[in-house]
Amino acid sequence: MIAVTLTIDDRLVSAGDDDTILHAAHDAGIAIPTLCHFEGIADIGACRLCLVEIEGSPKLFAACTTRVTEGMVVRTDTERLRRHRKLMIELMLSERNHVCSVCVANGHCELQDRAIQAGVDHVRVEYLYPKFTMDLSHKRYGADPNRCILCARCVRVCDEVEGAHTWDIGGRGIASHVVTDLSAPWGDSATCTACGKCVTACPTGALFSQGATVGELEKDRSRLAFVVTARKTREWVR
Ligand code: SF4
Ligand code: SF4
């Protein structure tokens, strides 16, 4: 690893050349909004909330999947970026039926938090209102694809941390949705160990513990951070 120096929001920042802009900014105490990013699992740049500007290019770049380079000049909080982030959140809200008042994650939802931060008070595009069926076949957990933002955190955490690879994304475009095994009911899954990591990682109310009532679904993200760190350091004590 070679050390590089770059500028983020007018601050000189040092990072390793294999670091992403998101990590370099985070280490420097500069917050960039994210939804699909989850510490300890691979980044895929799915949600596009972490878009940043890089001097010399008219394009926007996902901070979670763009590596730092020497002399790079990055801006994370411009009027253009704020406009894009607000629109991205509105598009996510319009794509499914996100009705917070009847959602188990109301008050504990990262999508809701990002929407509030971005100042989303209404959605300027038409709602698509697709009809997805809930899967309550698992003995402990439930899945409501109507709350899903296709961030694939569940897919990655189940594959990379639990090693079960129960989840995948099925379908194309607007019909894309998360599936367990080969689109069989979650309760019939031969691979699921019922560890609950996917439920913990899910940023919305799309995956939940059965019996959770509206506004009750508080997810203990530190549990996953513990597992990820423990696997790296081979230490299993809290
Ligand atoms: S409960 Fe664990 S094994 Fe089952 S789908 Fe979720 S992360 Fe994978
Ligand atoms: S179920 Fe949750 S974690 Fe999985 S893709 Fe949908 S929103 Fe993301």
Side-chain angles (χ1 to χ4, degrees):
M1 184 193 75
I2 302 164
V4 299
T5 305
L6 65 155
T7 308
I8 307 180
D9 293 346
D10 298 324
R11 283 176 49 189
L12 270 184
V13 168
S14 285
D17 64 349
D18 56 352
D19 249 345
T20 61
I21 294 174
L22 185 68
H23 265 132
H26 181 262
D27 287 349
I30 298 166
I32 300 176
T34 58
L35 267 173
C36 69
H37 170 76
F38 197 81
E39 212 50 48
I41 56 174
D43 281 307
I44 55 169
C47 73
R48 315 312 283 177
L49 273 199
C50 70
L51 287 176
V52 294
E53 292 175 3
I54 297 178
E55 205 171 272
S57 173
K59 289 195 318 187
L60 298 178
F61 295 81
C64 70
T65 52
T66 308
R67 305 261 166 223
V68 296
T69 56
E70 180 64 39
M72 184 183 245
V73 178
V74 180
R75 298 215 168 272
T76 73
D77 192 23
T78 63
E79 183 50 40
R80 180 186 177 206
L81 292 171
R82 284 193 287 272
R83 269 202 328 269
H84 270 83
R85 286 180 189 142
K86 195 171 180 189
L87 182 60
M88 291 313 301
I89 294 168
E90 288 178 45
L91 290 172
M92 281 184 231
L93 291 169
S94 71
E95 212 172 21
R96 302 279 162 107
N97 300 346
H98 294 281
V99 185
C100 299
S101 57
V102 292
C103 179
V104 286
N106 189 16
H108 309 288
C109 170
E110 290 179 47
L111 175 62
Q112 194 180 48
D113 292 345
R114 295 296 94 77
I116 293 165
Q117 274 169 5
V120 175
D121 49 14
H122 66 287
V123 171
R124 289 167 289 176
V125 290
E126 258 185 62
Y127 279 88
L128 297 175
Y129 289 128
K131 284 193 177 63
F132 285 103
T133 313
M134 285 174 85
D135 182 351
L136 296 173
S137 58
H138 195 284
K139 60 182 183 302
R140 294 174 65 179
Y141 309 117
D144 183 358
N146 295 294
R147 311 284 189 227
C148 178
I149 55 167
L150 296 169
C151 67
R153 280 194 196 182
C154 56
V155 178
R156 287 173 286 151
V157 85
C158 183
D159 178 36
E160 296 172 25
V161 182
E162 181 59 9
H165 199 131
T166 301
W167 291 104
D168 257 312
I169 308 272
R172 290 254 186 275
I174 195 65
S176 300
H177 58 287
V178 284
V179 293
T180 42
D181 289 342
L182 290 173
S183 210
W186 193 359
D188 294 346
S189 170
T191 55
C192 177
T193 62
C195 69
K197 291 186 179 70
C198 56
V199 177
T200 305
C202 179
T204 68
L207 300 184
F208 53 88
S209 298
Q210 292 226 19
T213 54
V214 173
E216 199 187 48
L217 191 73
E218 203 159 356
K219 300 185 182 185
D220 180 8
R221 311 262 190 245
S222 66
R223 194 178 136 230
L224 270 184
F226 162 72
V227 176
V228 171
T229 314
R231 276 160 51 101
K232 270 192 207 140
T233 59
R234 315 302 301 165
E235 285 172 12
W236 295 91
V237 279
R238 277 217 203 222

